[in-house]
Amino acid sequence: MKANRMEAFSDGVLAIIITIMVLEFKLPEGHDWYALIGLGPKILSYIFSFVYIGIYWNNHHHLLHMVRTVHGRLMWLNLLLLFWLSLIPFTTAWMGESHFAPTPTALYGIILLLSAFSYRLLQLAIIQQHSGDSSFVVSMGKDWKVKLSPFLYLIAVLTAYVSPWIACFFFVLVAIIWFVPDKRIEHALRGQ
């Protein structure tokens, strides 16, 4: 099987995740701009999650272009990533509804942490397919973003009980780090 089937399935799941998140919005009570103020926390949590899903979609797209052959292990690792990402709408809704209470914010961070861990496992399985291409393996092994992100998520989870806004700072920090897609994969693709 080619990776494009796995990528198409993943794209569909990510599109559904975004759709579920936006369907969580209920119409405001009033009919003026002030009616939207009450939706502020929900809108903010939606923006966080939309950006994260977009980042995963973008980097996942690049990563899957490096797949040489699709096998069962790769498909299960991809499903594991999609599983954790599919929980983002739930935690997004809870975090927004609770106005960023500590426990929903911490759970949001835990889901992001598990998503990052799953992404790393998928990345390592794809790197393993390139074991004969030492320059690619060395290049991908130096992925500081993949190594730093779980640490920042863990800090976010722990600080959610001190201040959810400090936790949100770390969520934004990780998003900023990942906003620009990984150029190493593009360079490797051009070199093939």
Side-chain angles (χ1 to χ4, degrees), residues 48 51-52 55 95 100 105-106 108-110 112-113 116 145 148-179:
F48 279 169
V51 168
Y52 268 108
I55 288 168
M95 190 169 63
F100 293 83
T105 304
Y108 185 78
I110 290 168
L112 291 176
L113 174 65
K145 294 191 282 189
L148 179 62
S149 299
F151 177 70
L152 295 175
Y153 289 138
L154 185 59
I155 292 172
V157 169
L158 297 174
T159 60
Y161 290 97
V162 175
S163 168
W165 297 112
I166 294 173
C168 288
F169 166 78
F170 287 104
F171 298 151
V172 171
L173 182 61
V174 174
I176 289 170
I177 290 169
W178 279 94
F179 200 75

Side-chain angles (χ1 to χ4, degrees), residues 92-107:
T92 300
W94 193 24
M95 190 169 63
E97 189 70 35
S98 71
H99 292 238
F100 293 83
T103 299
T105 304
L107 180 61

Side-chain angles (χ1 to χ4, degrees), residues 21 44-54 88 92 95 108:
M21 286 189 317
L44 184 58
S45 66
Y46 172 79
I47 290 169
F48 279 169
S49 297
F50 186 89
V51 168
Y52 268 108
I53 297 299
I88 287 179
T92 300
M95 190 169 63
Y108 185 78

Side-chain angles (χ1 to χ4, degrees), residues 2-112:
K2 299 247 182 206
N4 60 351
R5 249 188 102 212
M6 190 166 70
E7 183 179 13
F9 175 77
S10 302
D11 287 350
V13 171
L14 294 174
I16 291 168
I17 290 170
I18 288 175
T19 303
I20 290 169
M21 286 189 317
V22 80
L23 290 176
E24 287 293 320
F25 283 111
K26 305 296 182 239
L27 293 176
E29 297 284 324
H31 303 292
D32 56 15
W33 292 108
Y34 293 106
L36 292 175
I37 292 173
L39 292 177
K42 291 180 183 179
I43 292 170
L44 184 58
S45 66
Y46 172 79
I47 290 169
F48 279 169
S49 297
F50 186 89
V51 168
Y52 268 108
I53 297 299
I55 288 168
Y56 271 103
W57 174 74
N58 202 334
N59 285 287
H60 185 264
H61 168 77
H62 280 87
L63 187 62
L64 289 187
H65 280 283
M66 298 311 299
V67 172
R68 290 189 170 157
T69 57
V70 175
H71 47 75
R73 181 170 171 249
L74 208 59
M75 290 191 312
W76 281 110
L77 289 172
N78 191 61
L79 280 174
L80 181 64
L81 172 62
L82 294 175
F83 171 77
W84 293 118
L85 292 176
S86 74
L87 292 174
I88 287 179
F90 169 74
T91 55
T92 300
W94 193 24
M95 190 169 63
E97 189 70 35
S98 71
H99 292 238
F100 293 83
T103 299
T105 304
L107 180 61
Y108 185 78
I110 290 168
I111 297 301
L112 291 176

